Amino acid sequence: ELKVEQNPLFLSMQEGKNYTIYCNYSTTSDRLYWYRQDPGKSLESLFVLLSNGAVKQEGRLMASLDTKARLSTLHITAAVHDLSATYFCAVDSNYQLIWGAGTKLIIKP
Amino acid sequence: DGGITQSPKYLFRKEGQNVTLSCEQNLNHDAMYWYRQDPGQGLRLIYYSQIVNDFQKGDIAEGYSVSREKKESFPLTVTSAQKNPTAFYLCASSGHRGNWSPLHFGNGTRLTVT
């Protein structure tokens, strides 16, 4: 059974700092997705990573995938308050997505 | 604009009543999904459908039922057999899975059963 673990589950940080969210998964997969969810809202797709070594960047967020290590990272550079949200990773397993529990990120001014 | 519409946004029901959540998409997507989200947790798959008139159980299908009579519509019924139905329900759709495109989500329905 594929399991997806995110850590940390909660992160409070100051604006301007850098940090990384980790997503580990338990079986082979070459396809991983990152989503953002604001409180009480729906999920918004951030990144689609489809191969080993894939790296995607959008603004202050950068995601990468290492399929050999079964690890994806979401790196936040010089955080700003607007990035406060819950971030989910999801791994494709036979056309179904297995979701991590989410990382709640709070960025303080 | 294309998108997924879920209704209602909030729904309150008494225990023992069935309730149906609506999900409509105009993205021309083949696949549609229903997820349940509980506070502080990730998403759990209830049902999914890859094509009209066909659907499959997800990880937590007990107490739920769906239909897929039209490509655009995938309603979810929460039956009285669902022991703990209070949750946030999200509907999603995607194109052909071979394209590995991300899921598009509706804005969700928050169901409270008392």
Side-chain angles (χ1 to χ4, degrees), chain A residues 17-31:
Chain A
K17 300 291 187 182
N18 302 334
Y19 210 83
T20 301
I21 298 170
Y22 298 89
C23 176
N24 292 62
Y25 54 98
S26 59
T27 62
T28 302
S29 177
D30 292 337
R31 296 169 289 278

Side-chain angles (χ1 to χ4, degrees), chain B residues 3-113:
Chain B
I4 300 178
T5 302
Q6 288 187 244
S7 62
K9 185 174 182 179
Y10 298 97
L11 189 54
F12 298 88
R13 281 294 183 270
K14 295 289 187 183
E15 194 172 313
Q17 293 179 332
N18 292 354
V19 61
T20 297
L21 283 58
S22 171
C23 178
E24 303 278 333
Q25 56 101 357
N26 60 3
L27 298 167
N28 199 33
H29 282 168
D30 292 316
M32 298 187 73
Y33 306 81
W34 274 105
Y35 287 96
R36 170 181 173 141
Q37 186 177 32
D38 292 287
Q41 298 187 29
L43 277 66
R44 291 186 290 169
L45 182 64
I46 304 172
Y47 269 98
Y48 64 100
S49 169
Q50 302 281 13
I51 196 169
V52 174
N53 291 323
D54 187 49
F55 48 83
Q56 306 295 329
K57 293 182 178 180
D59 299 322
I60 56 165
E62 185 176 351
Y64 300 97
S65 65
V66 294
S67 63
R68 187 85 186 276
E69 297 176 1
K70 299 186 299 182
K71 187 176 186 178
E72 303 80 14
S73 179
F74 192 41
L76 173 74
T77 297
V78 184
T79 74
S80 57
Q82 169 50 232
K83 295 179 181 178
N84 186 19
T86 295
F88 188 48
Y89 291 87
L90 285 160
C91 179
S93 71
S94 68
H96 190 276
R97 290 307 289 152
N99 293 332
W100 310 119
S101 57
L103 297 181
H104 293 255
F105 283 88
N107 287 328
T109 293
R110 193 166 299 277
L111 173 64
T112 302
V113 176

Side-chain angles (χ1 to χ4, degrees), chain A residues 25 29 37 39 41-42 67-68 70 80 84 87 92 106:
Chain A
Y25 54 98
S29 177
Q37 185 179 35
K41 304 292 186 180
S42 187
T67 59
K68 294 180 181 178
R70 300 175 185 171
V80 293
S84 296
Y87 293 86
D92 185 283
I106 295 177

